[in-house]
Amino acid sequence: MTNAADAHLQHLWNLLQLEKEEDLLRFHRAVQRLSLEERKAEGYTWYPVSIVQQGYTIGDRAFVVVQCPTEHPTEHQFREGKTVAFFTRSDKAKRPEYSGVIHYVDKNRMKIILNSQDIPEWSDQGLTGVDLLFDERTYAEMEKALQKVRQAQKGRLADLRSILAGGREPAFGELPALSPIPGLNASQHKAVCECLSARDVAVIHGPPGTGKTTTVVQLVKVLCQTENTVLVCAPSNAAVDLLTERLAAQGLFVVRIGNISRMDESILSHTLEVLATGHPESKNVKKVRIQAAEYRRQARRYRRTYGAEERSERRQLLEEAAQLSAWADTIEDRIVEQILDGAQVITCTLVGAAHKVLEKRHFRTLVIDEASQALEPASWIPIIKTSRVILTGDPFQLPPTVKSDEARRKGLDVTLIERCLERMPWSPMLEVQYRMHEVIMGFSNRKFYGMRLKAHESVSARMLDIGEHFPLEFIDTAGCGFEEQLQRGSQSRFNPEEFFILREHLYQLIEAHYDKPLPSVAVISPYREQVEYIKKAVEDDALLSSLPISVNTIDGFQGQEMDVVYISLVRSNAKGEIGFLGDYRRMNVAITRARKLLVVTGDSATIGANAFYADFLTYCEQRGVYRTAWEFMSRLA
């Protein structure tokens, strides 16, 4: 291993420890200091719960579906994939707590896959609940991956380490003579060809609206013509689910690894669990699992004071249970191997690539989509299993979340795709965008993409059908006294008066469509407290609450688009402080969500001292319309 590679991987390891410590500290502060009633109120505990279903999954693991009372608060911290403790407060239980992973959460129901072969013996006695636990699995898998990469002495992993961490130049062959792919434009087709020519690593840079997912799907389809199975990963379940659906729609046999919640039938049918359940032998396996569990339950009847006959019977019951479980494991392993052997594409999250069913599998090509949102240590988890890496994404959109300020300052939020793009300036960028009017696109094109983006003719001049108007508007609240406010509990900011101005513009938009269908509308803001305030205001508004208006944070809205997007910047203060608006990638995400109309509200006196936002204000004056909040004040009076 080169000194450069070793130094980089050691640096990543150190930063990961900082992030883990900060994450654990926040969890302790938020959860472990609280009483049961406080944890319930904060959404970290469901108690009491009742079991409405129980059974066994692949791998001889028990599951329970629990239900809390209908009056339980809907706001909670439980999400698919999180680690929880299923517990009892009964003083008679020998083992009062079982850990598990949430399979899905649906309103007041939750399915938990337990890290146990057995249903707890106290499960039908009441006094049961679910606690959220700190999940170390993600960190453990990233640590194991970094360790394995550092220890590689030779072979393909050592080669990839030298290229991705040590600075060795990647190799490329000749561009293939690939026939035109229906539905791809010239830059998309070129990107596919360059990826096919890569021997080690390739990057597809996909700015907003340029059809990155379409390109990735066609690339994978071409790869499947010459490779047994392609591994496709992404940082989030949502991104993996989208790819699974799009790849399956191309007629490919896709197997989705991992737990998925709130998925539609098209995704459910591609999961390993459902595919295995549909196998002819699965019913017999399930019967055997149930019988083995019954034998173990009978064996537990015997306590410490029993004679030789009882001891012999207990031993026999446990032996029979073990034999049945071993038989079921063998059959299940065979079923899983048959499914995975036949898969053209396997999809999973980055951490999901560490799943035990993939432990001994190696792939010619790995595609990591949304790589610009992935921590580099997480990206190494699937890289270990492959010979060639293709990274796709846009580093000028939001980076991965890093909780530790120190780790962020030292570069943990710098992704693998960013480092590759710095070293590989010839990496293909998709240059035709199909989402937004060219004026909406223009500022980001100038600031982030070197004026290489072109709006497709189908969208370049597309506007709302409401007469003469501009596709871009800035509403300036400077001088109105609309100062931001700080929510002490969350330390997030909000600005009610700024939303009042935004709402007046929205009313005018609705009036202009009185005899036409209302376009799709989103209201987004960088601050969660502003989003919560707007949601409540919309709910309380008889007109707005009757309309399908999406309200979300900028981060939460990444990857989505609407006809009309309103952005509430919130910041308005005498010091000119803009907080994390200083991460211009967040603004790039925000202003590239709109198809036909973008309306931004903010205080030019606060944001205008910053060069980036000063340029944006100038762009609005030159290419859009610059309005003052005073135009809307008369209606508020």
Side-chain angles (χ1 to χ4, degrees):
M1 179 164 49
T2 65
N3 291 335
D6 187 47
H8 176 69
L9 293 169
Q10 181 62 54
H11 182 61
L12 279 182
W13 178 277
N14 294 339
L15 297 186
L16 193 59
Q17 303 315 304
L18 291 174
E19 177 70 1
K20 181 180 178 181
E21 290 168 9
E22 177 64 23
D23 201 3
L24 181 58
L25 180 62
R26 290 191 185 190
F27 183 83
H28 282 305
R29 286 174 178 168
V31 181
Q32 294 198 342
R33 62 180 175 80
L34 303 177
S35 67
L36 175 63
E37 291 304 316
E38 288 172 328
R39 294 200 308 274
K40 286 174 59 178
E42 294 291 332
Y44 293 105
T45 297
W46 280 10
Y47 182 85
V49 299
S50 57
I51 296 180
V52 295
Q53 186 182 351
Q54 61 189 40
Y56 302 90
T57 69
I58 288 177
D60 205 14
R61 292 172 64 187
F63 76 82
V64 292
V65 177
V66 300
Q67 178 175 295
C68 64
T70 54
E71 66 267 18
H72 195 285
T74 56
E75 290 296 325
H76 58 76
Q77 309 298 321
F78 295 97
R79 301 290 184 272
E80 174 267 327
K82 293 208 172 214
T83 304
V84 295
F86 181 49
F87 68 88
T88 181
R89 302 193 78 190
S90 170
D91 55 7
K92 298 179 180 180
K94 286 190 173 183
R95 182 182 169 189
E97 183 177 293
Y98 283 65
S99 67
V101 176
I102 298 174
H103 184 238
Y104 68 77
V105 181
D106 183 13
K107 297 179 181 178
N108 66 330
R109 285 195 175 198
M110 182 192 309
K111 180 177 180 180
I112 305 168
I113 310 297
L114 299 173
N115 297 319
S116 168
Q117 290 182 322
D118 299 309
I119 306 293
E121 57 186 12
W122 41 259
S123 61
D124 58 350
Q125 298 174 10
L127 300 177
T128 54
V130 184
D131 264 335
L132 189 67
L133 297 179
F134 179 72
D135 186 6
E136 293 195 40
R137 177 176 174 253
T138 297
Y139 291 104
E141 296 300 345
M142 288 191 285
E143 290 168 353
K144 283 196 293 185
L146 290 177
Q147 186 176 21
K148 188 170 290 188
V149 173
R150 296 185 71 183
Q151 291 174 346
Q153 298 296 316
K154 56 183 180 178
R156 200 64 190 124
L157 182 56
D159 292 339
L160 290 174
R161 178 187 63 205
S162 297
I163 294 165
L164 295 172
R168 196 181 99 191
E169 290 297 318
F172 290 84
E174 293 184 4
L175 289 176
L178 191 65
S179 300
I181 300 174
L184 294 191
N185 61 41
S187 66
Q188 293 169 330
H189 187 269
K190 181 182 179 184
V192 170
C193 290
E194 293 201 20
C195 289
L196 295 176
S197 73
R199 293 173 180 167
D200 309 300
V201 60
V203 175
I204 298 178
H205 182 187
T210 55
K212 174 180 61 64
T213 302
T214 298
T215 307
V216 170
V217 167
Q218 293 303 320
L219 168 64
V220 173
K221 189 175 180 181
V222 173
L223 289 170
C224 287
Q225 295 174 8
T226 57
E227 300 181 18
N228 291 332
T229 310
V230 179
L231 180 61
V232 178
C233 298
S236 69
N237 277 304
V240 176
D241 291 348
L242 174 62
L243 285 166
T244 301
E245 190 169 17
R246 295 282 296 274
L247 288 163
Q250 292 292 314
L252 299 173
F253 178 30
V254 185
V255 178
R256 170 71 159 98
I257 303 294
N259 296 325
I260 309 172
S261 70
R262 298 178 180 174
M263 52 192 171
D264 59 35
E265 192 65 30
S266 63
I267 296 299
L268 182 66
S269 63
H270 300 296
T271 61
L272 178 62
E273 185 176 51
V274 170
L275 290 168
T277 301
H279 193 279
E281 293 187 75
S282 66
K283 290 184 179 179
N284 292 331
V285 171
K286 185 175 182 179
K287 291 178 182 177
V288 171
R289 295 270 188 224
I290 294 172
Q291 185 61 57
E294 175 60 21
Y295 284 159
R296 288 193 295 270
R297 188 192 66 77
Q298 292 178 24
R300 286 198 301 269
R301 291 179 307 173
Y302 298 102
R303 303 302 181 186
R304 293 183 179 179
T305 55
Y306 53 84
E309 184 178 343
E310 289 84 0
R311 185 180 296 109
S312 174
E313 185 175 350
R314 179 177 184 272
R315 183 172 57 250
Q316 184 177 352
L317 285 168
L318 290 174
E319 287 176 354
E320 290 181 6
Q323 290 172 2
L324 289 173
S325 292
W327 180 87
D329 288 343
T330 300
I331 301 302
E332 275 189 351
D333 288 346
R334 188 167 71 227
I335 292 172
V336 168
E337 289 301 305
Q338 288 176 358
I339 293 170
L340 295 181
D341 285 345
Q344 292 175 283
V345 185
I346 292 175
T347 61
C348 59
T349 61
L350 299 172
V351 177
H355 197 290
K356 65 178 183 179
V357 299
L358 301 179
E359 188 175 357
K360 297 179 181 179
R361 292 185 174 266
H362 190 86
F363 303 88
R364 170 71 183 95
T365 303
L366 159 70
V367 178
I368 300 181
D369 193 25
E370 302 293 359
S372 54
Q373 296 179 47
L375 291 175
E376 183 176 339
S379 297
W380 282 103
I381 297 172
I383 290 174
I384 287 171
K385 304 178 182 298
T386 191
S387 298
R388 173 171 61 177
V389 183
I390 297 172
L391 305 168
T392 77
D394 180 14
F396 298 118
Q397 295 189 59
L398 286 170
T401 299
V402 176
K403 297 183 175 71
S404 167
D405 292 336
E406 183 179 356
R408 187 186 307 107
R409 286 195 305 271
K410 293 181 178 179
L412 186 58
D413 64 343
V414 178
T415 59
L416 195 58
I417 191 172
E418 287 180 82
R419 296 199 301 104
C420 287
L421 280 172
E422 288 176 359
R423 293 172 43 212
M424 301 165 59
W426 60 88
S427 295
M429 186 178 95
L430 308 182
E431 298 178 348
V432 181
Q433 71 84 13
Y434 298 86
R435 175 182 299 165
M436 65 203 101
H437 191 286
E438 62 181 2
V439 171
I440 299 174
M441 175 194 76
F443 183 73
S444 287
N445 196 18
R446 179 189 302 174
K447 282 291 183 180
F448 298 102
Y449 305 113
M451 297 300 291
R452 292 173 60 188
L453 284 184
K454 302 291 184 294
H456 190 264
E457 60 182 11
S458 63
V459 302
S460 62
R462 185 176 60 179
M463 299 174 66
L464 297 175
D465 183 23
I466 55 173
E468 186 175 345
H469 70 286
F470 291 89
L472 171 64
E473 297 184 26
F474 182 82
I475 304 176
D476 192 355
T477 65
C480 295
F482 297 168
E483 288 208 356
E484 66 194 56
Q485 300 180 41
L486 179 67
Q487 213 291 331
R488 295 291 179 186
S490 64
Q491 292 297 299
S492 183
R493 298 175 190 273
F494 64 109
N495 193 323
E497 293 86 358
E498 184 176 281
F499 171 66
F500 296 159
I501 299 298
L502 185 157
R503 184 178 61 187
E504 288 303 314
H505 189 288
L506 181 52
Y507 284 156
Q508 292 180 13
L509 178 74
I510 295 169
E511 290 173 6
H513 286 84
Y514 74 94
D515 60 346
K516 306 180 184 72
L518 187 69
S520 58
V521 177
V523 182
I524 62 177
S525 175
Y527 290 94
R528 178 161 294 282
E529 196 62 36
Q530 180 76 341
V531 168
E532 294 303 318
Y533 178 86
I534 293 172
K535 284 182 177 179
K536 182 66 167 58
V538 169
E539 289 175 4
D540 294 341
D541 188 297
L543 174 59
L544 299 184
S545 63
S546 66
L547 301 173
I549 298 172
S550 175
V551 183
N552 209 334
T553 61
I554 294 173
D555 299 46
F557 201 65
Q558 179 164 264
Q560 301 181 59
E561 59 186 77
M562 291 286 182
D563 291 329
V564 181
V565 172
Y566 289 89
I567 305 174
S568 174
L569 294 180
V570 175
R571 299 310 296 256
S572 179
N573 57 77
K575 296 180 180 179
E577 295 177 345
I578 64 172
F580 58 55
L581 284 183
D583 187 343
Y584 308 133
R585 291 171 294 187
R586 181 168 281 106
M587 192 62 174
N588 183 38
V589 169
I591 63 181
T592 55
R593 301 304 98 195
R595 300 187 191 108
K596 302 176 181 179
L597 174 62
L598 173 67
V599 182
V600 184
T601 57
D603 183 346
S604 65
T606 298
I607 66 173
N610 177 279
F612 176 88
Y613 289 98
D615 287 348
F616 178 69
L617 295 174
T618 300
Y619 181 82
C620 290
E621 288 181 306
Q622 294 174 345
R623 299 296 307 277
V625 60
Y626 193 103
R627 306 175 70 175
T628 173
W630 292 104
E631 296 178 37
F632 302 89
M633 297 287 277
S634 60
R635 292 182 54 151
L636 287 171

